[in-house]
Amino acid sequence: MSTEKNADPLEIVAALEKVLDREKTPIPLHEPRFAGNEWNYVRDCLDTNFVSSVGKYVDEFEEKLAEFTGVRRAVAVVNGTAALYLCLKLAGVTSGDEVLVPALTFVATSNAVCYCGAVPHFVDSDLATLGIDPKKLETYLAKITEWKDGFPCNQATGRPIRAVVAMHTFGHPVDLDPLLEVCRKYRLELIEDAAESLGSYYKNIHTGNFGKLASLSFNGNKIVTTGGGGAILTNDEELARQAKHISTTARMTHQWDFIHDCVGYNFRMPNINAALGCAQLEQLNGFLKSKRALAEKYRQAFAPLSGIAFFREPSYAKSNYWLNTLILDKGDTEMRDSIISETNRRGMLTRPAWVLMNRLPMFQSCPHMDLSAAEDLEQRIINIPSSARLGEEL
């Protein structure tokens, strides 16, 4: 007979209350922190009338972002989805291609593939990282692909498989070295969906440096926010030039004339948003320190409990702990939902993981591999309050 003890919802709620300041409810899942030069820089935009896509803060934000992440170039755009779409487009993804994406991800990852006219092909997760499982993916590709014109094709659909999108789930880096080996073996372009991983490192190198291109998000719930916004990261100067050009309606430089040399996009980040981002980047190291302090406090609070564990960064990584995560020992949606219901009732805003992409109505006909690990995680994940301010005094 098994002696394994199930998770106790009341013990879990009590552990959360022990860490969090219960006098300040509701406690959001993740809220922005404005404690620096935000007012000064935004006021400067208003005072000078430079509030749109032209202004000094856009260039400064891109430069500071590239410096922090260690990439050669960063191109600021209106949001993370637009950034990922342009990454895929610049990597050569076209209509009729298939792109390998995790089933366990936010819907924007799959949407961006569809914007290219391509088809998402859903792959499984690694229980140790919450991201793509490279070993399982390699085994799967060996079974389902055939080579045509020098590229791997899905035998069942006849479509070429062009790229793989590695999404760093909740800020925890995918195991990139073996995934890069799979990409080399099957001639796949690696795109990093680093929307959640600003401040996260794989073997001491910041995420976004491993694929041909990477995307970031600066939505209001991210570790650094510009209100709305995103960025493309790349170490390829020519791709950066193209990204900046097509995201600015592909307009050629001219003093007054409107000459556009290809179909472009009005995707450039406004100066007033970039101003907010510059102030946020000045505080990023403090945010990261606070978030790691909060993660450690959670780890200690949940260590004595049975039936549940606090998810910790993989051994090779340093995570930003964007969204702190609890993992039930057993897949039990009823238990998961009872915990989420009770914590929300008490003003601590928790949530489950996303519904798996292959179960959403618009993606149900898309190809997918065995998704047993992702299906298991979907039933066991609970995200808990993770705002930087919660770790400031710990």
Side-chain angles (χ1 to χ4, degrees):
M1 180 182 294
S2 174
T3 58
E4 188 178 65
K5 184 180 178 182
N6 290 330
D8 183 331
L10 293 181
E11 285 185 348
I12 293 167
V13 172
L16 271 176
E17 290 181 330
K18 181 180 178 181
V19 174
L20 300 174
D21 182 356
R22 294 290 287 114
E23 295 179 1
K24 299 177 181 178
T25 56
I27 301 174
L29 188 68
H30 200 292
E31 63 181 344
R33 181 70 166 138
F34 302 122
N37 284 310
E38 288 89 353
W39 279 105
N40 295 330
Y41 294 168
V42 170
R43 187 180 296 112
D44 182 47
C45 292
L46 299 176
D47 288 344
T48 60
N49 287 332
F50 283 100
V51 298
S52 193
S53 56
V54 175
K56 66 179 182 180
Y57 290 108
V58 177
D59 293 338
E60 183 178 339
F61 183 61
E62 291 176 337
E63 291 168 4
K64 287 184 174 181
L65 197 57
E67 180 181 3
F68 182 86
T69 58
V71 300
R72 290 184 181 178
R73 294 286 302 279
V75 179
V77 294
V78 292
N79 55 55
T81 309
L84 184 55
Y85 164 61
L86 290 184
C87 286
L88 291 162
K89 183 177 179 64
L90 291 167
V93 173
T94 60
S95 180
D97 289 341
E98 290 184 8
V99 177
L100 302 166
V101 300
L104 182 65
T105 187
F106 181 56
V107 70
T109 311
S110 302
N111 285 344
V113 173
C114 293
Y115 299 162
C116 297
V119 177
H121 187 146
F122 300 114
V123 300
D124 206 11
S125 301
D126 184 345
L127 296 177
T129 71
L130 308 181
I132 288 176
D133 185 331
K135 293 181 180 178
K136 191 171 182 180
L137 177 60
E138 183 172 17
T139 300
Y140 174 68
L141 290 175
K143 293 179 180 178
I144 65 103
T145 57
E146 59 183 358
W147 290 86
K148 292 182 180 179
D149 301 322
F151 289 95
C153 291
N154 183 341
Q155 294 181 58
T157 65
R159 292 187 290 253
I161 302 176
R162 193 71 62 190
V164 57
V165 179
M167 200 278 285
H168 303 299
T169 312
F170 309 139
H172 301 296
V174 171
D175 195 357
L176 288 161
D177 280 347
L179 184 58
L180 283 165
E181 284 299 317
V182 175
C183 290
R184 281 190 280 268
K185 183 176 181 179
Y186 286 92
R187 297 191 64 185
L188 301 170
E189 295 290 359
L190 176 63
I191 307 297
E192 291 179 71
D193 182 347
E196 302 171 359
S197 67
L198 181 63
S200 295
Y201 296 81
Y202 178 79
K203 297 182 178 179
N204 298 317
I205 299 174
H206 197 286
T207 56
N209 277 276
F210 298 87
K212 175 168 279 190
L213 301 115
S215 62
L216 290 175
S217 171
F218 307 112
N219 189 29
N221 66 349
K222 295 303 188 292
I223 190 167
V224 158
T225 184
T226 58
I232 297 163
L233 304 180
T234 184
N235 287 304
D236 187 314
E237 291 283 354
E238 176 56 23
L239 286 177
R241 186 198 66 77
Q242 292 179 40
K244 196 154 190 173
H245 182 59
I246 64 173
S247 66
T248 319
T249 68
R251 185 180 178 183
M252 304 293 287
T253 302
H254 194 281
Q255 188 174 356
W256 62 80
D257 215 348
F258 288 88
I259 303 171
H260 308 261
D261 63 350
C262 67
V263 174
Y265 307 87
N266 191 14
F267 282 177
R268 291 291 287 151
M269 178 183 285
N271 193 55
I272 196 167
N273 295 87
L276 193 62
C278 287
Q280 288 273 285
L281 284 179
E282 291 172 355
Q283 302 164 78
L284 178 53
N285 285 325
F287 294 161
L288 292 168
K289 182 179 179 181
S290 297
K291 288 176 73 62
R292 290 188 68 82
L294 178 63
E296 176 58 21
K297 188 70 172 179
Y298 276 139
R299 185 195 67 78
Q300 294 175 13
F302 287 99
L305 273 58
S306 299
I308 197 165
F310 177 74
F311 187 83
R312 301 177 67 184
E313 62 198 359
S315 60
Y316 55 73
K318 183 175 182 180
S319 175
N320 65 4
Y321 284 100
W322 171 59
L323 278 190
N324 290 299
T325 303
L326 301 176
I327 308 283
L328 291 165
D329 287 355
K330 296 180 179 179
D332 186 339
T333 53
E334 185 176 344
M335 173 69 73
R336 181 200 69 185
D337 291 347
S338 68
I339 294 167
I340 292 171
S341 177
E342 181 61 20
T343 50
N344 276 268
R345 189 185 71 80
R346 299 193 188 196
M348 297 175 291
L349 305 190
T350 61
R351 75 173 195 194
W354 313 281
V355 173
L356 295 187
M357 293 298 99
N358 63 298
R359 296 204 293 112
L360 296 178
M362 61 283 199
F363 299 133
Q364 287 179 0
S365 63
C366 294
H368 65 83
M369 66 188 294
D370 168 71
L371 300 173
S372 53
E375 291 166 351
D376 180 40
L377 287 168
E378 183 187 25
Q379 299 179 66
R380 297 198 288 136
I381 286 174
I382 301 173
N383 291 131
I384 56 180
S386 302
S387 303
R389 74 164 182 85
L390 297 174
E392 287 179 354
E393 297 179 359
L394 296 177

Coordinates of all heavy atoms in Angstrom, one line a residue, residues 57-117:
Y57 N 14.6 58.0 -26.5 CA 14.4 56.8 -25.6 C 14.3 55.5 -26.3 O 14.7 54.5 -25.8 CB 13.2 57.0 -24.7 CG 13.4 58.1 -23.7 CD1 12.7 59.4 -23.9 CD2 14.3 58.0 -22.6 CE1 12.9 60.4 -22.9 CE2 14.5 59.0 -21.7 CZ 13.8 60.2 -21.9 OH 14.0 61.2 -21.0
V58 N 13.8 55.5 -27.6 CA 13.8 54.2 -28.3 C 15.2 53.7 -28.6 O 15.5 52.5 -28.3 CB 13.0 54.4 -29.7 CG1 13.1 53.1 -30.5 CG2 11.6 54.9 -29.5
D59 N 16.1 54.6 -29.1 CA 17.5 54.1 -29.3 C 18.1 53.7 -28.0 O 18.9 52.7 -27.9 CB 18.2 55.3 -30.0 CG 17.8 55.6 -31.4 OD1 17.1 54.7 -32.0 OD2 18.0 56.7 -31.9
E60 N 17.9 54.5 -26.9 CA 18.6 54.2 -25.6 C 18.1 52.9 -25.1 O 18.9 52.1 -24.6 CB 18.3 55.4 -24.7 CG 18.9 55.2 -23.3 CD 18.7 56.4 -22.4 OE1 18.3 57.5 -22.8 OE2 18.8 56.2 -21.2
F61 N 16.8 52.7 -25.2 CA 16.2 51.4 -24.7 C 16.8 50.2 -25.4 O 17.2 49.2 -24.8 CB 14.7 51.4 -24.9 CG 14.0 50.2 -24.3 CD1 14.1 49.9 -22.9 CD2 13.2 49.4 -25.1 CE1 13.4 48.8 -22.4 CE2 12.6 48.3 -24.6 CZ 12.7 48.0 -23.3
E62 N 16.9 50.3 -26.8 CA 17.5 49.2 -27.5 C 19.0 49.0 -27.2 O 19.4 47.8 -27.0 CB 17.4 49.5 -29.0 CG 16.0 49.5 -29.5 CD 15.8 49.9 -31.0 OE1 16.7 50.6 -31.5 OE2 14.8 49.5 -31.6
E63 N 19.7 50.0 -27.0 CA 21.1 49.9 -26.6 C 21.3 49.3 -25.2 O 22.1 48.4 -25.0 CB 21.8 51.3 -26.6 CG 21.9 51.9 -28.0 CD 22.3 53.4 -28.0 OE1 22.5 53.9 -26.9 OE2 22.4 54.0 -29.1
K64 N 20.5 49.7 -24.3 CA 20.6 49.2 -22.9 C 20.1 47.7 -22.8 O 20.7 46.9 -22.1 CB 19.7 50.0 -21.9 CG 20.3 51.4 -21.6 CD 19.5 52.1 -20.6 CE 20.2 53.4 -20.2 NZ 19.4 54.2 -19.2
L65 N 19.1 47.4 -23.7 CA 18.6 46.0 -23.7 C 19.7 45.1 -24.3 O 19.9 44.0 -23.8 CB 17.4 46.0 -24.5 CG 16.4 44.8 -24.4 CD1 16.0 44.6 -23.0 CD2 15.2 45.0 -25.3
A66 N 20.3 45.5 -25.4 CA 21.4 44.7 -26.0 C 22.6 44.5 -25.0 O 23.1 43.4 -24.9 CB 21.9 45.4 -27.3
E67 N 22.9 45.6 -24.3 CA 24.0 45.5 -23.3 C 23.7 44.6 -22.2 O 24.5 43.8 -21.8 CB 24.3 46.9 -22.8 CG 25.4 47.0 -21.8 CD 25.6 48.4 -21.2 OE1 24.9 49.3 -21.5 OE2 26.6 48.5 -20.4
F68 N 22.5 44.6 -21.7 CA 22.1 43.8 -20.6 C 22.1 42.3 -21.0 O 22.6 41.4 -20.2 CB 20.8 44.2 -20.0 CG 20.4 43.3 -18.8 CD1 20.8 43.7 -17.5 CD2 19.6 42.2 -18.9 CE1 20.4 42.9 -16.4 CE2 19.3 41.4 -17.8 CZ 19.7 41.8 -16.6
T69 N 21.5 42.0 -22.1 CA 21.4 40.6 -22.5 C 22.6 40.0 -23.2 O 22.8 38.8 -23.3 CB 20.2 40.4 -23.5 OG1 20.4 41.3 -24.7 CG2 18.9 40.8 -22.8
G70 N 23.5 40.9 -23.7 CA 24.8 40.5 -24.3 C 24.6 40.2 -25.8 O 25.6 39.7 -26.4
V71 N 23.5 40.5 -26.4 CA 23.4 40.3 -27.8 C 23.9 41.6 -28.5 O 24.1 42.6 -27.9 CB 21.9 40.1 -28.2 CG1 21.3 38.9 -27.6 CG2 21.0 41.3 -27.9
R72 N 24.2 41.4 -29.8 CA 24.7 42.5 -30.6 C 23.6 43.6 -30.8 O 23.9 44.8 -30.8 CB 25.2 42.0 -32.0 CG 26.5 41.2 -31.9 CD 27.0 40.8 -33.2 NE 28.2 40.0 -33.1 CZ 28.9 39.5 -34.2 NH1 28.4 39.8 -35.4 NH2 30.0 38.8 -34.0
R73 N 22.4 43.2 -31.1 CA 21.4 44.1 -31.5 C 20.0 43.8 -30.8 O 19.6 42.6 -30.7 CB 21.2 44.2 -33.0 CG 22.4 44.8 -33.7 CD 22.5 46.3 -33.6 NE 21.3 47.0 -34.0 CZ 21.1 47.2 -35.3 NH1 21.9 46.9 -36.3 NH2 20.0 47.9 -35.7
A74 N 19.3 44.8 -30.4 CA 17.9 44.7 -30.0 C 17.1 45.7 -30.8 O 17.5 46.8 -31.0 CB 17.8 45.0 -28.5
V75 N 15.9 45.3 -31.2 CA 15.0 46.1 -32.0 C 13.7 46.2 -31.2 O 13.0 45.1 -31.1 CB 14.8 45.6 -33.4 CG1 13.8 46.5 -34.1 CG2 16.1 45.5 -34.1
A76 N 13.3 47.3 -30.7 CA 12.1 47.5 -29.9 C 10.8 47.6 -30.8 O 10.8 48.3 -31.8 CB 12.2 48.7 -29.1
V77 N 9.8 46.8 -30.5 CA 8.5 46.8 -31.2 C 7.3 46.9 -30.3 O 7.5 47.1 -29.1 CB 8.4 45.5 -32.1 CG1 9.5 45.5 -33.2 CG2 8.5 44.3 -31.2
V78 N 6.1 46.9 -30.9 CA 4.9 47.2 -30.1 C 4.5 46.2 -29.1 O 3.9 46.5 -28.1 CB 3.7 47.5 -31.0 CG1 3.9 48.7 -31.8 CG2 3.5 46.3 -32.0
N79 N 4.8 44.9 -29.3 CA 4.5 43.9 -28.3 C 5.3 42.6 -28.6 O 6.0 42.5 -29.6 CB 3.0 43.6 -28.2 CG 2.4 43.2 -29.5 OD1 2.9 42.3 -30.2 ND2 1.4 43.9 -29.9
G80 N 5.3 41.7 -27.7 CA 6.0 40.4 -27.8 C 5.5 39.5 -28.9 O 6.3 38.8 -29.6
T81 N 4.2 39.6 -29.2 CA 3.7 38.8 -30.3 C 4.2 39.2 -31.7 O 4.6 38.5 -32.5 CB 2.2 38.7 -30.3 OG1 1.7 38.4 -29.0 CG2 1.6 37.8 -31.3
A82 N 4.2 40.6 -31.8 CA 4.8 41.2 -33.1 C 6.3 40.8 -33.2 O 6.8 40.5 -34.3 CB 4.6 42.7 -33.1
A83 N 7.0 40.8 -32.1 CA 8.4 40.5 -32.1 C 8.6 39.1 -32.6 O 9.5 38.8 -33.4 CB 9.0 40.7 -30.7
L84 N 7.8 38.1 -32.0 CA 8.0 36.7 -32.4 C 7.6 36.5 -33.8 O 8.2 35.7 -34.6 CB 7.1 35.9 -31.5 CG 7.2 34.4 -31.7 CD1 8.7 33.9 -31.6 CD2 6.4 33.6 -30.6
Y85 N 6.5 37.2 -34.3 CA 6.1 37.0 -35.7 C 7.2 37.5 -36.6 O 7.6 36.8 -37.6 CB 4.9 37.9 -36.0 CG 4.6 38.1 -37.4 CD1 4.3 37.1 -38.3 CD2 4.6 39.4 -37.9 CE1 4.1 37.3 -39.6 CE2 4.4 39.6 -39.3 CZ 4.1 38.6 -40.1 OH 3.9 38.8 -41.5
L86 N 7.9 38.6 -36.3 CA 9.0 39.1 -37.2 C 10.2 38.1 -37.1 O 10.9 37.9 -38.1 CB 9.4 40.5 -36.8 CG 8.4 41.6 -37.2 CD1 8.9 43.0 -36.8 CD2 8.0 41.5 -38.7
C87 N 10.4 37.6 -35.9 CA 11.5 36.6 -35.8 C 11.3 35.4 -36.7 O 12.2 35.0 -37.4 CB 11.6 36.1 -34.3 SG 12.3 37.2 -33.1
L88 N 10.1 34.9 -36.7 CA 9.8 33.7 -37.6 C 9.9 34.1 -39.1 O 10.5 33.4 -39.9 CB 8.4 33.3 -37.3 CG 8.2 32.6 -35.9 CD1 6.7 32.5 -35.6 CD2 8.8 31.2 -35.9
K89 N 9.4 35.3 -39.4 CA 9.4 35.8 -40.8 C 10.9 35.9 -41.3 O 11.2 35.5 -42.4 CB 8.6 37.1 -40.9 CG 8.6 37.6 -42.4 CD 7.7 38.9 -42.4 CE 7.6 39.5 -43.8 NZ 7.0 38.5 -44.8
L90 N 11.7 36.6 -40.4 CA 13.1 36.8 -40.8 C 13.9 35.5 -40.8 O 14.9 35.4 -41.5 CB 13.7 37.8 -39.8 CG 13.2 39.2 -39.9 CD1 13.6 40.1 -38.7 CD2 13.7 39.9 -41.2
A91 N 13.4 34.5 -40.1 CA 14.1 33.2 -40.1 C 13.7 32.3 -41.3 O 14.3 31.2 -41.5 CB 13.8 32.4 -38.8
G92 N 12.8 32.8 -42.1 CA 12.5 32.1 -43.3 C 11.2 31.3 -43.3 O 10.9 30.5 -44.2
V93 N 10.4 31.4 -42.2 CA 9.2 30.6 -42.1 C 8.2 31.3 -43.1 O 7.9 32.5 -43.0 CB 8.6 30.7 -40.7 CG1 7.3 30.0 -40.6 CG2 9.6 29.9 -39.7
T94 N 7.6 30.4 -43.9 CA 6.6 30.9 -44.9 C 5.3 30.1 -44.9 O 5.3 29.0 -44.2 CB 7.2 30.9 -46.3 OG1 7.6 29.6 -46.7 CG2 8.4 31.8 -46.4
S95 N 4.4 30.5 -45.7 CA 3.1 29.8 -45.7 C 3.3 28.3 -46.1 O 4.1 28.0 -47.1 CB 2.2 30.5 -46.8 OG 1.0 29.8 -46.9
G96 N 2.7 27.4 -45.4 CA 2.8 26.0 -45.7 C 3.8 25.2 -45.0 O 3.9 24.0 -45.0
D97 N 4.7 26.0 -44.2 CA 5.7 25.3 -43.4 C 5.0 24.9 -42.1 O 3.9 25.3 -41.7 CB 6.8 26.3 -43.0 CG 7.7 26.7 -44.2 OD1 7.7 25.9 -45.2 OD2 8.4 27.7 -44.1
E98 N 5.7 24.0 -41.4 CA 5.4 23.6 -40.0 C 6.5 24.1 -39.1 O 7.6 24.2 -39.4 CB 5.2 22.1 -39.9 CG 4.0 21.6 -40.6 CD 3.8 20.1 -40.3 OE1 4.5 19.5 -39.5 OE2 2.9 19.5 -41.0
V99 N 6.0 24.6 -37.9 CA 7.0 25.1 -36.9 C 6.7 24.3 -35.6 O 5.5 24.3 -35.1 CB 6.8 26.6 -36.7 CG1 7.7 27.1 -35.6 CG2 7.1 27.4 -38.0
L100 N 7.7 23.8 -35.0 CA 7.6 23.0 -33.8 C 7.5 24.0 -32.6 O 8.4 24.8 -32.4 CB 8.8 22.1 -33.6 CG 9.0 21.1 -34.7 CD1 10.4 20.5 -34.7 CD2 8.0 20.0 -34.7
V101 N 6.4 23.9 -31.8 CA 6.2 24.7 -30.7 C 5.8 23.9 -29.5 O 5.1 22.9 -29.7 CB 5.2 25.9 -31.0 CG1 5.7 26.8 -32.1 CG2 3.9 25.4 -31.3
P102 N 6.0 24.3 -28.3 CA 5.6 23.5 -27.2 C 4.1 23.6 -27.0 O 3.4 24.7 -27.3 CB 6.3 24.2 -26.0 CG 6.6 25.6 -26.4 CD 6.9 25.5 -27.9
A103 N 3.4 22.5 -26.6 CA 2.0 22.5 -26.4 C 1.7 23.3 -25.1 O 0.6 23.9 -25.0 CB 1.5 21.1 -26.2
L104 N 2.7 23.3 -24.2 CA 2.5 24.1 -22.9 C 3.2 25.4 -23.1 O 4.4 25.6 -23.0 CB 3.2 23.3 -21.8 CG 3.1 24.0 -20.4 CD1 1.6 24.0 -19.9 CD2 4.0 23.3 -19.4
T105 N 2.4 26.4 -23.6 CA 2.8 27.8 -23.8 C 1.7 28.7 -23.8 O 0.5 28.3 -23.8 CB 3.6 27.8 -25.1 OG1 4.2 29.1 -25.2 CG2 2.7 27.6 -26.3
F106 N 1.9 30.0 -23.8 CA 0.9 31.0 -24.0 C 0.5 31.0 -25.5 O 1.3 30.8 -26.4 CB 1.4 32.4 -23.6 CG 0.4 33.5 -23.7 CD1 -0.8 33.4 -23.1 CD2 0.7 34.6 -24.4 CE1 -1.8 34.4 -23.2 CE2 -0.2 35.6 -24.6 CZ -1.5 35.5 -23.9
V107 N -0.8 31.4 -25.7 CA -1.3 31.2 -27.1 C -0.6 32.1 -28.1 O -0.5 31.8 -29.3 CB -2.8 31.6 -27.1 CG1 -3.0 33.1 -26.8 CG2 -3.5 31.2 -28.4
A108 N 0.1 33.2 -27.7 CA 0.8 34.0 -28.6 C 1.9 33.3 -29.4 O 2.1 33.6 -30.6 CB 1.4 35.2 -27.9
T109 N 2.5 32.3 -28.8 CA 3.5 31.5 -29.5 C 3.0 30.9 -30.7 O 3.5 30.9 -31.8 CB 4.1 30.4 -28.6 OG1 4.5 31.0 -27.3 CG2 5.4 29.8 -29.2
S110 N 1.8 30.2 -30.6 CA 1.2 29.6 -31.7 C 0.6 30.6 -32.7 O 0.6 30.4 -33.9 CB 0.1 28.6 -31.2 OG 0.6 27.7 -30.3
N111 N 0.0 31.6 -32.2 CA -0.6 32.7 -33.0 C 0.4 33.2 -34.0 O 0.1 33.4 -35.2 CB -1.2 33.8 -32.2 CG -2.5 33.4 -31.5 OD1 -3.2 32.4 -31.9 ND2 -3.0 34.2 -30.6
A112 N 1.6 33.5 -33.5 CA 2.6 34.1 -34.3 C 3.0 33.2 -35.5 O 3.3 33.7 -36.6 CB 3.9 34.4 -33.5
V113 N 3.0 31.9 -35.3 CA 3.2 30.9 -36.3 C 2.2 31.0 -37.4 O 2.4 31.1 -38.6 CB 3.3 29.5 -35.8 CG1 3.4 28.5 -36.9 CG2 4.5 29.3 -34.8
C114 N 0.9 31.1 -37.0 CA -0.2 31.2 -37.9 C -0.2 32.5 -38.7 O -0.6 32.5 -39.9 CB -1.5 31.1 -37.1 SG -1.8 29.5 -36.4
Y115 N 0.3 33.6 -38.1 CA 0.4 34.9 -38.8 C 1.3 34.7 -40.1 O 1.1 35.4 -41.1 CB 1.0 36.0 -38.0 CG 0.2 36.3 -36.7 CD1 0.8 37.0 -35.7 CD2 -1.2 36.0 -36.6 CE1 0.0 37.4 -34.6 CE2 -1.9 36.3 -35.5 CZ -1.3 37.0 -34.5 OH -2.0 37.3 -33.3
C116 N 2.2 33.8 -40.0 CA 3.1 33.5 -41.2 C 2.5 32.6 -42.2 O 3.1 32.4 -43.2 CB 4.4 32.9 -40.7 SG 5.4 33.8 -39.6
G117 N 1.3 32.2 -41.9 CA 0.6 31.2 -42.8 C 1.1 29.8 -42.6 O 0.8 28.9 -43.3

